[in-house]
Amino acid sequence: MQDRFIRSITQLPTPLADALIPMLHQNFAGHLDALQLATLTSASKMTEAEVLLALLPIAAALAKPPISEFYVGAIAKGKSGDIYMGANLELPGEALFHSVHAEQSAISHAWLSGESQIVDIIVNASPCGHCRQFMNELVEGSKISIHLPAQESHPLAYYLPYAFGPKDLNVTSPLMAKQQTEFALDSADPMIIEGLDHAGLSYAPYTQSFAAVVLETRDGATYCGRYAENAAFNPSMLPMQMALSNLVRHNREFSDISRAVLIESSQGKISLVGATMDALHTVAAIELEHIVIDPV
């Protein structure tokens, strides 16, 4: 079991902890498939809802909050039945807008894993307005069921009445809907090819600034992030923040980063290069490779 879970595992009921420990292997990064979830439910003799709430300390152990020192865990359940953990991330000494909220982390985890819809969000503190707005961007976002400790579950619409969302700006394919933009770039660099794929899958209906970041660590592993815009603009999730959250979930240190690439569309109304460089230089003493690509 990874060291970061030693304290949180003690907060779980013993039967659940015993069943979960073998799953917290060195490669565990917060994903449990539907079969594993069923195994935990059966072994613990708890309902699925009880298991998911009980797992929140495990999700919170993925957090990296040097500013607030407030650990928040979240779990997104996909339509597939799989669950995806996420946690808050803060960049030391950097402006607060660079932070990643736990719900954003869990949702981006699911999106990067190929999920096309979130049906439940489980979180250990009531979602802030920023996260409510971010969730409202998702496929059938208003129907997502929000589960909190010691409270009744309600759909997002209960927490965000009279919401402003994609439809108000004539966007009919919301975040996580299957869509892809094709780009042209001749490269044999595997890292750039990976970034191209993720840029094509990014979500930028308001600026057309499709973008992705790929981080490479010293052992050759890569961690990606895609741009995810929001109808309210500010809750948009930058690809660098998504990539850093991805890296931290995999129990890697910022000091492991050896290369960073930002790929973005030449046709976008904005550029993410400045914000991306700010975030990168806060955590790693390397230069950002910036590649601008043309849509096909």
Side-chain angles (χ1 to χ4, degrees):
M1 183 176 70
Q2 296 177 31
D3 290 347
R4 58 181 172 170
F5 300 121
I6 291 175
R7 180 176 296 179
S8 56
I9 199 74
T10 64
Q11 301 177 46
L12 275 58
T14 300
L16 177 58
D18 289 345
L20 180 63
I21 286 172
M23 301 178 188
L24 302 180
H25 49 75
Q26 290 305 308
N27 294 323
F28 180 76
H31 173 227
L32 293 172
D33 63 35
L35 181 58
Q36 290 174 309
L37 179 58
T39 298
L40 295 177
T41 301
S42 175
S44 65
K45 295 182 170 53
M46 300 164 68
T47 67
E48 181 181 291
E50 290 171 336
V51 168
L52 291 173
L53 286 167
L55 290 176
L56 285 174
I58 302 298
L62 305 174
K64 197 178 186 75
I67 300 171
S68 68
E69 299 182 7
F70 183 60
Y71 288 71
V72 183
I75 299 172
K77 184 180 179 185
K79 193 174 182 179
S80 69
D82 288 13
I83 63 169
Y84 305 86
M85 298 180 184
N88 55 323
L89 169 67
E90 299 160 2
L91 301 188
E94 209 31 272
L96 296 181
F97 74 82
H98 283 289
S99 301
V100 175
H101 295 226
E103 294 91 328
Q104 288 181 307
S105 174
I107 290 165
S108 66
H109 182 184
W111 188 35
L112 290 170
S113 300
E115 286 284 350
S116 59
Q117 187 174 347
I118 300 298
V119 294
D120 294 279
I121 291 287
I122 302 91
V123 63
N124 60 3
S126 184
C128 69
H130 183 100
C131 290
R132 297 177 196 194
Q133 184 66 46
F134 186 80
M135 288 186 277
N136 192 55
E137 195 75 22
L138 304 178
V139 172
E140 296 190 11
S142 65
K143 298 179 181 178
I144 294 172
S145 186
I146 310 298
H147 307 269
L148 300 166
Q151 295 188 37
E152 291 184 6
S153 300
H154 294 285
L156 178 63
Y158 172 87
Y159 293 94
L160 192 66
Y162 311 107
F164 179 84
K167 290 182 180 178
D168 295 293
L169 294 178
N170 301 314
V171 172
T172 56
S173 294
L175 179 58
M176 295 188 78
K178 295 294 185 183
Q179 51 194 305
Q180 186 163 9
T181 306
E182 297 293 332
F183 292 101
L185 180 66
D186 186 17
S187 175
D189 186 328
M191 194 166 163
I192 293 176
I193 293 170
E194 187 175 4
L196 277 173
D197 289 340
H198 282 276
L201 293 168
S202 64
Y203 176 78
Y206 310 111
T207 67
Q208 306 303 304
S209 301
F210 302 100
V213 162
V214 185
L215 302 175
E216 184 176 47
T217 50
R218 301 184 194 284
D219 60 358
T222 55
Y223 303 92
C224 296
R226 308 170 189 152
Y227 188 31
E229 286 190 334
N230 190 275
F233 285 20
N234 284 344
S236 300
M237 190 172 184
L238 299 178
M240 175 58 83
Q241 273 71 3
M242 192 178 295
L244 290 173
S245 178
N246 190 5
L247 180 138
V248 169
R249 277 193 299 97
H250 282 84
N251 205 24
R252 304 302 300 267
E253 298 294 333
F254 294 146
S255 58
D256 293 336
I257 300 171
S258 60
R259 187 182 176 197
V261 176
L262 165 67
I263 297 176
E264 60 180 353
S265 172
S266 63
Q267 302 301 308
K269 295 180 180 179
I270 61 171
S271 173
L272 306 181
V273 65
T276 302
M277 289 175 61
D278 286 346
L280 175 64
H281 291 160
T282 298
V283 300
I286 60 173
E287 292 305 312
L288 177 70
E289 298 174 42
H290 181 212
I291 299 172
V292 179
I293 51 177
D294 296 322
V296 174

